[in-house]
Amino acid sequence: MASPSTASLGPEAEYLQALRDGRFCYQRTAEGRAVFPPRLAAPGDGAALEWAQSSGRGRVHAVTEQPQKPPAPSRIIAIVEMDEGFRLLSRIEAVAPVAIGQRLRAVIAGESDPPHVFFVPQGEQDEG
C-alpha cells in the first residue's frame, strides 16, 4: 500500500492516503491480528505490521446519541466492531434508532480534508 512519499511520513499519512484513494485500510500482524488506529509497530511486542483493506462491514458495539440544538438532528456516535476484529469510534448516519449488534457498512467521506470514515445501517440489499 505504501508509496515512497507516504511511507516516509508514517502510518497516519498512509491511512489518510488510502482513504483519499477510496480504500478503508487497517494494519495487521504477521499472525493476522488486526491493529487500529495505524501505528509504527504492533502494540505489546513491537512486531512489524502490514496493511490490509477492510471489508467495510461491522457491527455496533456501543452507541450514544449526542443532542444538537434544534432544528439539527441528534448525532449518533458509536464504537463499531469491524468484521476484521478491530474497533473504532465513528459517526452513524441514520434516521431510525440504532441498536447494539446492528450491522453497518463504512462510507468514506473523501471530499473532506482530512478524509474520514462514517457508517450507515447495512440494508437488506447489502446482506450476504
Side-chain angles (χ1 to χ4, degrees):
M1 174 178 129
S3 67
S5 59
T6 58
S8 63
L9 297 176
E12 183 178 4
E14 290 182 69
Y15 171 72
L16 292 174
Q17 186 58 52
L19 290 179
R20 285 183 190 96
D21 294 341
R23 296 177 290 122
F24 176 29
C25 292
Y26 67 101
Q27 293 171 300
R28 63 182 173 201
T29 64
E31 296 80 29
R33 181 174 47 99
V35 174
F36 192 88
R39 304 163 193 243
L40 290 171
D45 62 6
L49 296 169
E50 62 185 22
W51 288 98
Q53 187 167 335
S54 174
S55 67
R57 306 285 193 239
R59 185 175 302 282
V60 176
H61 179 76
V63 64
T64 190
E65 191 173 329
Q66 183 183 41
Q68 302 296 302
K69 289 185 180 181
S74 295
R75 285 187 190 141
I76 301 171
I77 308 296
I79 296 175
V80 179
E81 184 164 354
M82 300 303 296
D83 290 351
E84 293 83 6
F86 65 93
R87 294 179 184 164
L88 70 151
L89 182 67
S90 190
R91 184 179 87 239
I92 299 176
E93 292 289 324
V95 178
V98 174
I100 291 175
Q102 183 173 353
R103 295 290 297 164
L104 303 169
R105 67 179 172 83
V107 176
I108 298 172
E111 70 283 350
S112 64
D113 194 32
H116 62 277
V117 174
F118 66 92
F119 290 84
V120 296
Q122 185 170 318
E124 292 177 17
Q125 70 276 10
D126 294 329
E127 294 292 337

